[in-house]
Amino acid sequence: MKPTPFGYVKAASLPQALDLLARHGEEAQILAGGQSLIPTLNMRLSAPRLLIDISGLADLSGIAVAGDILRIGALTRHAEVEKSELVARHAPLIAAAMPHVAHPAIRNRGTFGGSLALADPAAELPACCLALAATMIVQAPSGSRRIAARDFFKGLFETALEAGEVLTAIEIPIAVPGQVFAFEELARRHGDYAIVGIAATARKAADGTLSDIRLAYLNLESRPVLAGKAAAALAGTTGDAAAVTAAQDALAGEASPHADLNATPETRLHLARVLLGRAVARLIA
Amino acid sequence: MSLSILDRPNSYIGRTVPRPNAKKLVQGRGTYVDDIKLPRMVHVAFVRSPYAHARILAIRSDAAQAAPGVVRIVTGAEMAAVCTPWVGVLGHMKGLKSAPQYALAVDRACWQGEAVVAVVAHSRAEAEDAAQLVEIDWEELFVVADMETALDPETPVIHPELGDNLAFRRELDVGDVEKGFAAADAIVEETYITGRHTGVCLEARSILADYQPADEQLVVYHSTQAPHMMQTIFAKHLDLPETNVRVICKDVGGAFGIKVHTYPDEMATVALAKMLRRPVKFIADRMESFVTDIHARDHRVKARMAVSKEGRILAIEADDRTGIGPYSVYPRTSAIEANQVVNLIGGPYTNQNYRCTANVVFQNKNVMCQYRAVGHPIACAVTEGLVDKAARAIGMDPAEFRRRNLIADDAYPYKAPTGMVYEGLSHHKSLDKLLELMQYDRLRAEQAALREKGIHRGIGLAAFIEVTNPSAMFYGVGGARISAQDGCTIRLDPTGVITVSIGVTEQGQGTEAIMAQIAASSVGVPMDKVRLITGDTEVTPYGGGTWASRGAGIGGEATLQAGRALRENILSVAGTMLQAAPQTLDIRAGIIVDADTGAERMKLEELGRVAYFRPDTLPRDCQPELMVTRHYVQKDYAFVFTNGLQASYLEVDTETGFVTLLDHWVVEDCGTIINPQLVDEQIRGGVVQGLGGALFEECLYSADGQMLNANMADYLVPMASEMPDIAIAHVVTPTQTSELGAKGVGEAGTAGAPAAVMNAINDALSPFGASVAAQPFTPERVLRALGKIR
Ligand SMILES: Cc1cc2nc3c(=O)[nH]c(=O)nc-3n(C[C@H](O)[C@H](O)[C@H](O)COP(=O)(O)OP(=O)(O)OC[C@H]3O[C@@H](n4cnc5c(N)ncnc54)[C@H](O)[C@@H]3O)c2cc1C
């Protein structure tokens, strides 16, 4: 379990990191918290020739609110997000998901952006970003661009990031009055990647009717997905039992659950249905 | 007659004293094999078979040989010239057969992960780099993966020279099983499956071999449980005189039975040191550990039980099938686990009508062998599963059902249908204590109340017996050079410190603390005046090491006797010096005192000073013998059995199939308790490993023999967050086979925990008419039992 030999540069600035990335192309990899990358090196699942360590770039770290946007720097450690009052107030869904992301020791080093750039289908944060309609801010030598979360997660460990691009920040619309959230997941052991999970949000009117519903699933498919039909089945209802059943049936119609060592597609769909019910119960609570 | 060690003044027996080696380990200053660096040392990495069964057509290693840092590349054929193969059979396991196993595969590999080529380089990283450059042409062969079909006529035979894929069969038929079933009011049956899993040691397997050609001396630093056994094996297969081989075992980071076997890659490492005439180190990495550390527990047992409506067990019948990989592991063999299953099913109960067949088959998966509580959790799950089913079938409370069938506390010695004789067990006292500890009736009421609210909790009981303090019947009689006896040497140093060296070893469980407590009590010195030496074949008395829950019971008694003999020798010298009869003197807290009054007569260091430096002042016929050795072997029974019960309280989420463990209780009788904290933590650690097997751990294999989860992300070891509180209580029935009275305790926790959990889950599921019998009890399996998924 020793990595193949590799070079290492601790980037002093974002332009330097981008320059190195441009020059070394496929041979180079960005190193953020290293919690996912280093194990893959040690297991020889990947063998980059150069690691560009961006962990010293202070500009890429931090949490701030500007207007109705919560901005989380890509290098912000999970632990900082977990403890952040701004996140708790303006993105309670992320605050609810954070304790499920790995273990405290890993959260001390792993980064918010690293989790999104990695795009593990079972990761919590991509699903949260999808539910919250977040925007990824991406920098290339030629300039920056913005990618909506729903266009960002392309497939298994695959994102819209192009060669030479670095994820610098994530922008999340702050919670509005009446907006409710629910996060639920099922993991065999605390801190494990979940068998399946749901990140949900909706607008709840004074009479209890739900609207603007977004139900994002993690590890249901090979990338985080929005269950649009299930959400539609709930829209305009109060999340009563009949509506939940309808939403669960709609989910069965739209989901293509994948298989892994923990669950067959059938199990996964069953659990996803159960979590849908539990998430709605939280939303209307 | 002097006082027994148990009631000597200042005895440490029964006291929780801190472990002398704990501070060092907590500070990270232990010496594990990987901490040892020798001049000219090189590292080996292995190219391993990617296939479960494949012929080696060609090996091309030119590119690897030219890679940076590479010292030597060795294939199976070259290795076979230096290290002879071995066959894992024992004389008393009638019919057990296996094929010669080589340090490196010669013509073909028989499981995924088998070492094929050794790459030696200046660093492990360079060795791994070069290993990637070794090219092997393979011809894939048929794969025997499924143990169920391994004996079918259409299944190819892995070792044609053996005739079939059957390694071992044991058949036992005692009493009148037919009559028992004919008389039954109810018959229950089930197929119990225990998942293949392994003991995941914090410190992976590690070895460093240093060979001095000038005097043909081989020193092996080894993370092992049995240094003397390994000394014999290294000498035999590397053609060295046994006395020229020294095995040193410093700190060991957990072993659990994993580190008591002959591993091909370790044999290859030692052979490489001989070939290269320089030190060679091998530290298994986590991924190769998963495909090479012995696996265990892969059993399928079809079993049934006959009961009367009064709740008496009338007969038990079982059929065990287990797949052990392509070889029986050397030298303990892979027949022992199934043999123990046969010996232990029905063990706590009075039933005398028992029939059991075990078929042990070869297959193309990693080898299986002895892991903590060998066979016990399997037999316990079968027995206790049937017991709960039977109680349910006749509508009797499971605690009451057990009470009616457990062997009476005054029935000992008791001969089980297997022929095993139990010296003295305390099932009924233990059951009473358990029910009180867990507040059984209150818990039942709580369960019923919660069930009304749709919360499904279950209570599961499991009675067990444990094999401890083995005699030579375990291995020695079968021809294996595995010692059932152990020796202890204690020396009084001039400073009044005693140095204790002993054949049993420390792997993290606190053996050294226990030996120090016994030695201190037996001689009469304070704990800080005891120094321990273990794990060095050149220094310690010959012994078996630490396995089969023998450390405290066997090593402890040797220590007690050595300590007493030293005390007597010291007092004889003191008597001469003080002109007092030795029997009027005693040693307490390191001081020679008047036995009646406790008044100080002389400090031990004063006696040491005179004995060692001024012997001229002693009478001519007074020769102090201040170093003594005593040996002990348990000869009265094949094993000194222990007993106990466990209980689990848990909640099943019937929508998701998730099981949450809420509470766990253990009542255990290990005889004399030397260090209560160490005993309890042994039990807790054992329970956790049992819970791991019950809920999480499984080596998953594909149909073509590939292990699918050979890493710590996918192989789920139990972790703290999922563990319940584990409350422990004891009944104490000392063994009469030794003065110390201690039996083993290392495997009790693991033996009973899975059965308790299974019974609790099934108790929770009973309103749904659902039950599970295949471990681990994953959410998917629970959901399937509930009919929520197919
Ligand atoms: C035992 C364990 C359990 C875990 N459990 C969970 C879990 O339950 N849920 C979960 O979500 N995660 C889990 N993780 C993963 C953890 O959250 C990681 O830290 C995270 O996924 C990646 O963040 P990182 O900063 O460590 O990224 P790194 O490991 O440094 O990088 C990961 C990948 O992303 C790329 N990358 C990183 N940052 C950027 C960037 N700014 N721009 C472009 N590319 C970038 C890297 O090049 C690399 O390919 C677990 C990890 C471990 C070791």
Side-chain angles (χ1 to χ4, degrees):
Chain A
M1 289 246 293
K2 305 286 179 204
T4 50
F6 58 84
Y8 170 90
V9 176
K10 177 134 190 179
S13 69
L14 184 57
Q16 187 204 2
L18 291 169
D19 178 52
L20 284 167
L21 206 49
R23 277 196 283 134
H24 293 272
E26 299 267 281
E27 310 245 281
Q29 278 245 35
I30 294 288
L31 174 68
Q35 298 302 290
S36 298
L37 182 55
I38 299 298
T40 67
L41 298 191
N42 283 345
M43 292 164 94
R44 293 186 177 232
L45 295 172
S46 73
R49 301 283 284 275
L50 178 67
L51 292 188
I52 305 165
D53 183 352
I54 59 170
S55 65
L57 306 184
D59 297 354
L60 268 56
S61 181
I63 302 166
V65 174
D68 53 4
I69 294 295
L70 174 75
R71 186 183 164 99
I72 302 179
L75 274 176
T76 313
R77 309 276 185 193
H78 294 322
E80 189 183 337
V81 177
E82 185 182 11
K83 280 184 278 195
S84 163
E85 299 214 344
L86 288 178
V87 171
R89 184 151 15 109
H90 299 297
L93 182 63
I94 288 175
M98 221 62 227
H100 298 280
V101 178
H103 311 273
I106 291 158
R107 293 202 290 273
N108 283 339
R109 295 206 63 84
T111 65
F112 198 84
S115 179
L116 300 174
L118 180 69
D120 190 307
E124 288 79 6
L125 299 175
C128 290
C129 286
L130 195 55
L132 296 175
T135 303
M136 314 295 161
I137 315 295
V138 167
Q139 185 75 40
S142 54
S144 79
R145 61 186 184 115
R146 303 165 61 82
I147 310 171
R150 65 182 319 151
D151 301 323
F152 188 76
F153 302 106
K154 296 268 200 206
L156 192 67
F157 298 108
E158 198 192 325
T159 67
L161 277 177
E162 307 230 340
E165 286 183 331
V166 170
L167 176 63
T168 56
I170 297 85
E171 291 185 358
I172 299 164
I174 62 172
V176 296
Q179 193 175 3
V180 286
F181 304 92
F183 185 89
E184 292 279 342
E185 71 168 43
L186 291 165
R188 293 278 299 278
R189 299 174 305 180
H190 195 89
D192 278 352
Y193 282 112
I195 299 179
V196 66
I198 187 170
T201 173
R203 205 81 84 94
K204 189 166 64 172
D207 64 356
T209 12
L210 300 173
S211 62
D212 292 343
I213 302 159
R214 290 171 71 88
L215 308 172
Y217 275 99
L218 55 105
N219 216 14
L220 181 60
E221 302 187 9
S222 58
R223 64 190 178 117
V225 289
L226 282 173
K229 291 186 174 148
L234 285 169
T237 75
T238 55
D240 55 292
V244 168
T245 307
Q248 287 170 327
D249 292 346
L251 177 70
E254 65 182 321
S256 321
H258 68 146
D260 64 15
L261 294 174
N262 282 315
T264 61
E266 190 195 357
T267 303
R268 199 158 251 122
L269 179 61
H270 169 82
L271 295 175
R273 292 174 68 129
V274 171
L275 289 189
L276 179 54
R278 292 182 181 181
V280 172
R282 257 185 214 279
L283 292 177
I284 64 174
Chain B
M1 178 69 203
S2 58
L3 289 169
S4 132
I5 183 172
L6 304 176
D7 24 60
R8 274 178 56 70
N10 307 318
S11 171
Y12 289 99
I13 308 302
R15 281 168 57 187
T16 289
V17 294
R19 303 163 51 166
N21 60 0
K23 214 183 210 174
K24 171 187 79 175
L25 297 176
V26 168
Q27 289 180 352
R29 299 297 176 102
T31 308
Y32 299 93
V33 174
D34 203 21
D35 295 317
I36 303 168
K37 295 178 176 65
L38 299 179
R40 301 179 64 248
M41 183 178 86
V42 288
H43 299 258
V44 58
F46 294 94
V47 181
R48 297 184 179 277
S49 173
Y51 299 109
H53 195 193
R55 196 181 313 287
I56 301 163
L57 299 178
I59 298 175
R60 282 181 301 279
S61 52
D62 301 352
Q65 185 68 65
V70 170
V71 174
R72 178 86 178 263
I73 293 179
V74 175
T75 63
E78 295 165 78
M79 179 60 68
V82 180
C83 181
T84 56
W86 52 86
V87 182
V89 294
L90 283 169
H92 63 313
M93 295 281 133
K94 292 273 174 290
L96 171 61
K97 57 186 196 262
S98 189
Q101 188 179 7
Y102 290 83
L104 295 177
V106 180
D107 299 320
R108 62 171 180 153
C110 288
W111 84 89
Q112 176 229 356
E114 183 171 359
V116 181
V117 177
V119 178
V120 184
H122 290 288
S123 72
R124 168 81 188 203
E126 287 170 326
E128 286 187 27
D129 288 343
Q132 275 192 323
L133 301 175
V134 174
E135 286 175 49
I136 302 176
D137 292 341
W138 293 99
E139 178 195 339
E140 283 188 69
L141 300 171
F142 64 85
V143 174
V144 181
D146 183 1
M147 67 184 182
E148 290 293 349
T149 55
L151 298 181
D152 292 357
E154 53 279 12
T155 303
V157 175
I158 297 174
H159 304 293
E161 69 276 21
L162 299 182
D164 56 27
N165 288 325
L166 182 69
F168 179 66
R169 169 173 291 148
R170 168 134 185 242
E171 284 172 307
L172 186 73
D173 193 347
V174 192
D176 194 338
V177 173
E178 300 307 331
K179 200 171 128 207
F181 278 97
D185 291 314
I187 294 173
V188 289
E189 58 180 278
E190 183 60 272
T191 299
Y192 294 94
I193 291 170
T194 41
R196 179 181 266 257
H197 58 284
T198 184
V200 181
C201 305
L202 218 49
E203 180 207 23
R205 288 189 296 107
S206 307
I207 194 163
L208 165 59
D210 184 13
Y211 179 69
Q212 301 291 344
D215 49 4
E216 280 204 308
Q217 296 287 327
L218 175 70
V219 178
V220 183
Y221 301 88
H222 196 189
S223 181
T224 180
Q225 301 171 236
H228 281 106
M229 181 191 92
M230 291 313 301
Q231 176 191 34
T232 301
I233 288 170
F234 293 138
K236 179 168 176 193
H237 295 284
L238 293 166
D239 193 25
L240 291 167
E242 191 163 309
T243 45
N244 289 19
V245 178
R246 177 179 183 186
V247 177
I248 299 175
C249 154
K250 300 206 169 199
D251 292 311
V252 174
F256 317 116
I258 302 303
K259 296 174 178 170
V260 74
H261 312 293
T262 305
Y263 286 97
D265 46 20
E266 295 179 6
M267 293 301 284
T269 304
V270 181
L272 286 166
K274 193 180 174 203
M275 292 163 89
L276 298 174
R277 301 170 161 232
R278 63 193 296 182
V280 182
K281 181 187 271 187
F282 169 63
I283 310 290
D285 72 26
R286 196 52 73 180
M287 291 184 294
E288 63 191 340
S289 294
F290 274 116
V291 292
T292 57
D293 285 9
I294 58 111
H295 293 173
R297 314 266 205 265
D298 197 358
H299 286 243
R300 180 278 292 142
V301 185
K302 283 187 195 145
R304 48 190 208 127
M305 179 181 276
V307 288
S308 71
K309 56 181 184 302
E310 294 77 31
R312 300 296 302 196
I313 302 172
L314 303 177
I316 301 175
E317 185 177 17
D319 173 85
D320 179 23
R321 171 66 62 101
T322 176
I324 56 162
Y327 299 100
S328 167
V329 174
Y330 181 67
R332 288 166 195 257
T333 84
S334 306
I336 297 286
E337 190 183 61
N339 201 54
Q340 300 266 67
V341 171
V342 176
N343 284 343
L344 294 169
I345 286 178
Y349 300 106
T350 53
N351 168 58
Q352 289 282 341
N353 301 320
Y354 175 46
R355 177 154 62 210
C356 190
T357 305
N359 281 298
V360 179
V361 304
F362 293 116
Q363 57 181 176
N364 296 112
K365 290 183 184 174
N366 184 20
V367 292
M368 290 223 309
C369 202
Q370 281 80 299
Y371 162 49
R372 191 177 199 170
V374 188
H376 292 64
I378 303 158
C380 185
V382 170
T383 309
E384 296 303 293
L386 290 174
V387 160
D388 263 28
K389 252 185 179 318
R392 198 167 289 129
I394 59 164
M396 187 177 284
D397 177 84
E400 177 57 26
F401 186 93
R402 284 177 175 81
R403 198 187 304 285
R404 293 187 185 197
N405 288 281
L406 288 166
I407 301 164
D409 288 356
D410 59 4
Y412 300 96
Y414 182 92
K415 191 167 180 190
T418 53
M420 294 284 168
V421 180
Y422 310 144
E423 181 207 14
L425 305 179
S426 58
H427 290 302
H428 290 267
K429 275 195 220 105
S430 299
L431 178 61
D432 291 344
K433 197 158 209 169
L434 178 80
L435 298 180
E436 189 191 311
L437 182 69
M438 67 191 288
Q439 300 185 45
Y440 185 74
D441 295 333
R442 187 197 62 75
L443 216 55
R444 283 280 176 217
E446 177 179 297
Q447 176 190 34
L450 288 171
R451 211 169 252 175
E452 307 264 292
K453 297 187 195 152
I455 293 171
H456 296 281
R457 293 197 172 173
I459 300 165
L461 303 178
F464 63 91
I465 53 172
E466 188 202 336
V467 164
T468 82
N469 295 5
S471 70
M473 298 298 286
F474 208 6
Y475 294 112
V477 295
R481 294 171 72 87
I482 299 172
S483 179
Q485 65 82 54
D486 239 284
C488 175
T489 297
I490 310 186
R491 182 182 75 212
L492 177 72
D493 291 338
T495 53
V497 167
I498 57 170
T499 298
V500 180
S501 81
I502 182 148
V504 296
T505 49
E506 162 83 61
Q507 293 112 45
Q509 68 277 73
T511 309
E512 292 189 353
I514 282 173
M515 297 310 146
Q517 281 177 262
I518 297 169
S521 308
S522 190
V523 177
V525 299
M527 281 290 285
D528 62 359
K529 292 276 194 287
V530 185
R531 224 170 55 84
L532 251 290
I533 299 173
T534 62
D536 186 340
T537 56
E538 194 147 296
V539 175
T540 69
Y542 202 94
T546 300
W547 39 270
S549 296
R550 70 185 294 281
I554 307 295
E557 179 68 9
T559 304
L560 184 157
Q561 297 300 344
R564 175 212 296 276
L566 177 62
R567 172 158 45 90
E568 284 167 3
N569 288 2
I570 292 170
L571 292 179
S572 145
V573 178
T576 304
M577 289 171 68
L578 298 168
Q579 304 203 335
Q583 58 273 21
T584 65
L585 301 172
D586 194 8
I587 310 172
R588 293 177 195 163
I591 293 163
I592 295 160
V593 297
D594 186 277
D596 283 343
T597 64
E600 173 170 341
R601 300 296 307 271
M602 182 170 43
K603 295 203 162 36
L604 268 184
E605 43 267 58
E606 173 59 11
L607 183 135
R609 184 188 68 82
V610 172
Y612 288 114
F613 309 120
R614 293 303 308 276
D616 56 304
T617 64
L618 294 173
R620 213 185 142 67
D621 61 350
C622 175
Q623 174 54 58
E625 293 294 349
L626 301 182
M627 173 152 155
V628 297
T629 300
R630 288 293 180 272
H631 292 86
Y632 175 69
V633 66
Q634 191 280 111
K635 281 183 179 167
D636 299 323
Y637 302 91
F639 307 97
V640 176
F641 280 86
T642 69
N643 69 282
L645 285 107
Q646 299 197 23
S648 167
Y649 188 47
L650 51 75
E651 188 169 313
V652 179
D653 182 334
T654 54
E655 286 189 310
T656 64
F658 274 64
V659 172
T660 304
L661 302 172
L662 300 172
D663 267 309
H664 200 97
W665 300 269
V666 183
V667 174
E668 207 272 346
D669 185 347
C670 62
T672 303
I673 292 170
I674 299 161
N675 183 321
Q677 186 177 38
L678 287 177
V679 164
D680 286 0
E681 296 313 327
Q682 273 295 301
I683 293 173
R684 287 201 177 89
V687 165
V688 168
Q689 277 183 316
L691 296 175
L695 292 178
F696 301 108
E697 298 183 63
E698 187 172 20
C699 299
L700 296 166
Y701 272 87
S702 69
D704 57 355
Q706 296 285 323
M707 186 169 166
L708 301 173
N709 59 340
N711 61 69
M712 293 296 282
D714 296 319
Y715 180 94
L716 308 181
V717 294
M719 305 221 322
S721 300
E722 281 63 52
M723 292 300 105
D725 282 346
I726 301 166
I728 296 166
H730 301 276
V731 173
V732 176
T733 312
T735 173
Q736 304 302 314
T737 57
S738 70
E739 186 181 333
L740 183 62
K743 312 175 191 177
V745 72
E747 303 172 276
T750 314
V757 166
M758 176 176 70
N759 284 345
I761 293 174
N762 289 338
D763 186 40
L765 296 183
S766 63
F768 303 91
S771 69
V772 289
Q775 297 178 37
F777 306 113
T778 61
E780 196 156 64
R781 281 176 167 156
V782 173
L783 285 175
R784 209 168 283 136
L786 283 164
K788 304 250 161 150
I789 55 167
R790 269 170 294 128

